[in-house]
Amino acid sequence: MSGIPPFRVLRAKPLWIANGVITGVLALLFAVFYVGANIDPVDHMSKLPVGLVNADKGAAAGGKQVSLGAQITESIRKSTASGGRIDWKVMDEKEMKEELGKGKLYGALVVPADFTSSTTELTGTATTGTPSRPTLTVLTNQSAGSLGSSLARTATTQAAENASFQLGKQLTAETGAQQAKLPAAARVLLADPAAVTVEDGHPLDSHSGLGLTAFYYALTLVVVGMLSANVISGQVDHALGYTHNDMGPRRLHRPLIRATRVQTLAISSTLMTGLSLLVGTLVMVGAVGIMGMDASHLPLLWLYSVCAIAVTGIGAITLLAVFGTPGMLVVTLVFIGMAVPTAGATTPLQALPGFYRFLAEFEPLRQITGGIRSILYYDAQGDAGLTRGWVMLAAGLVAAALFGFGVLGWYDRKGLHRIPAETKPEKTAVPA
């Protein structure tokens, strides 16, 4: 045994420098990714998709057919008040409901069929009764993300109120001297004629976490896959005899079984694939069976969960195999640090800075969340995110295989084996 006191290692500058650099960079990156992505979503918001529907049938006024709904929707569409933050999608009611039901709209503004007729009643000359106030309907869509739906609601409500105010100035100018003959209630309403009502455009079941269960379920799949990869990687190394396995005060060590890096990756990936059947089942049992999460298409949800865990786990195992000890930091950044802010579930992609939108194109959590959201909220429609989810899972698996086996195969060919020097077989003399 060495006579050097263990605490003397604290005097070693490389120990402080190496750990300081690694933990410092990790802290900085997490702060940038998490705080930077969400620090000002309103200012970063650009082209948030919101439906704009004119269902107004118009009415006869002053001897001609008038459609105030068309006038309002056109003025909103051309308005620059939102500064490009809202992308108004002009459509009919059927298309709007379909788009809300696929999560492609964060909300909508609907001008109802009787809008013009209700508005013209305000300028009637009756002296009794209370006129019927026209309405503009703001639809929300929490299934697309609660923050995105809230941002859309705020912008849409403001647009509706501005439209009502502009319409009020127009009606006031048109009535002119006739205002004295109008009922008192009508004169008050003329300045701001339209009432703004808010409704849920795509209602969810009560156990849907206000549209966040898809995100947290997907996050669970990613975290479970990542942690399973770490466990499997360590246990395979122990089974092959490359590392010790500490169980409390006991240290276990198995005889060395020589395996190339490629063989080790193949063993770990096979184990990950097999265990993902168990792990994916237990995640679903915990979320749906025990906690009561609202879910439909259960066989599809199970299959997607198993595949998501398997692909995530194999990807993490690959990074651990290629980068070694620093691989866990890389895995944490890829699957958690850069993934959570770019998932498009808490903050919509349209409210993220450009760099984060770029990351969202390939970050695993965003793709998995889209598929889970489609299964849970949108009747498993392919163009609601499920098709993209499957495609990106397949692409991720192929990328992990090419990268992992390619790099590790190169390591093996270069003789960069993992066999410790003291375990190499000794050379023996050949008899003459």
Side-chain angles (χ1 to χ4, degrees):
M1 295 180 61
S2 172
I4 301 176
F7 286 99
R8 286 195 61 182
V9 299
L10 292 174
R11 299 180 184 179
K13 291 183 180 180
L15 180 68
W16 288 94
I17 294 174
N19 286 279
V21 169
I22 294 173
T23 56
V25 170
L26 194 64
L28 178 62
L29 289 177
F30 263 80
V32 169
F33 287 132
Y34 275 60
V35 180
N38 300 283
I39 199 167
D40 192 358
V42 176
D43 185 59
H44 291 130
M45 189 166 66
S46 176
K47 297 186 180 302
L48 190 75
V50 176
L52 185 59
V53 178
N54 174 31
D56 186 18
K57 296 181 179 179
K64 60 181 180 179
Q65 189 70 13
V66 178
S67 177
L68 295 177
Q71 176 182 320
I72 285 179
T73 53
E74 184 65 14
S75 65
I76 291 176
R77 188 182 68 84
K78 292 183 177 180
S79 174
T80 59
S82 66
R85 292 187 173 94
I86 301 297
D87 182 13
W88 297 106
K89 304 287 188 180
V90 180
M91 57 186 65
D92 57 30
E93 286 188 281
K94 180 182 178 181
E95 186 180 4
M96 178 265 296
K97 291 178 181 179
E98 291 177 352
E99 296 291 282
L100 286 174
K102 295 178 181 179
K104 294 185 177 182
L105 296 176
Y106 287 92
L109 175 60
V110 180
V111 182
D114 63 346
F115 185 79
T116 298
S117 59
S118 297
T119 303
T120 54
E121 289 179 4
L122 299 180
T123 61
T125 56
T127 57
T128 60
T130 302
S132 176
R133 190 177 187 186
T135 61
L136 294 172
T137 304
V138 171
L139 298 179
T140 60
N141 190 10
Q142 286 190 332
S143 67
S146 54
L147 179 56
S149 178
S150 176
L151 292 171
R153 172 180 173 173
T154 300
T156 307
T157 301
Q158 183 179 3
E161 291 173 347
N162 290 341
S164 176
F165 178 72
Q166 294 299 324
L167 180 59
K169 292 199 299 184
Q170 176 185 327
L171 294 177
T172 300
E174 289 177 355
T175 55
Q178 295 182 1
Q179 290 191 53
K181 300 178 182 180
L182 298 177
R187 291 198 299 270
V188 172
L189 291 178
L190 273 180
D192 186 15
V196 179
T197 62
V198 179
E199 300 177 6
D200 193 342
H202 185 70
L204 297 174
D205 294 326
S206 59
H207 288 182
S208 296
L210 300 178
L212 286 174
T213 50
F215 167 68
Y216 286 112
Y217 188 90
L219 180 61
T220 300
L221 298 179
V222 171
V223 170
V224 167
M226 182 184 74
L227 295 179
S228 297
N230 191 44
V231 171
I232 289 172
S233 180
Q235 290 302 309
V236 168
D237 281 349
H238 170 63
L240 293 175
Y242 284 99
T243 60
H244 299 284
N245 192 11
D246 290 331
M247 302 292 291
R250 298 180 61 194
R251 167 162 287 193
L252 306 178
H253 188 70
R254 294 179 179 274
L256 179 66
I257 301 176
R258 292 180 175 84
T260 66
R261 292 178 182 271
V262 167
Q263 290 172 336
T264 303
L265 177 60
I267 294 170
S268 300
S269 298
T270 301
L271 192 60
M272 183 72 240
T273 302
L275 291 179
S276 65
L277 297 169
L278 170 65
V279 177
T281 300
L282 292 178
V283 168
M284 188 169 162
V285 167
V288 180
I290 297 177
M291 301 310 300
M293 182 184 78
D294 285 316
S296 57
H297 304 282
L298 295 182
L300 179 59
L301 179 62
W302 174 82
L303 178 61
Y304 192 86
S305 300
V306 169
C307 291
I309 289 175
V311 173
T312 300
I314 291 173
I317 286 173
T318 297
L319 293 175
L320 290 170
V322 170
F323 294 104
T325 302
M328 195 59 204
L329 298 179
V330 179
V331 169
T332 303
L333 286 175
V334 171
F335 290 100
I336 300 297
M338 295 188 294
V340 172
T342 60
T346 52
T347 303
L349 300 182
Q350 293 83 0
L352 294 174
F355 172 69
Y356 299 89
R357 296 182 202 178
F358 166 74
L359 290 179
E361 291 300 316
F362 55 84
E363 268 297 326
L365 183 56
R366 186 247 173 143
Q367 326 307 327
I368 295 173
T369 299
I372 296 297
R373 182 181 280 165
S374 175
I375 296 172
L376 295 184
Y377 306 152
Y378 305 135
D379 199 29
Q381 297 178 84
D383 58 349
L386 185 56
T387 298
R388 179 188 174 94
W390 281 120
V391 170
M392 294 303 286
L393 281 178
L397 181 60
V398 171
L402 292 176
F403 178 65
F405 287 107
V407 174
L408 295 181
W410 181 81
Y411 286 172
D412 287 336
R413 290 192 299 272
K414 290 293 184 180
L416 304 173
H417 303 302
R418 303 179 66 224
I419 303 174
E422 64 269 17
T423 62
K424 290 183 180 180
E426 296 180 359
K427 292 182 179 181
T428 57
V430 179

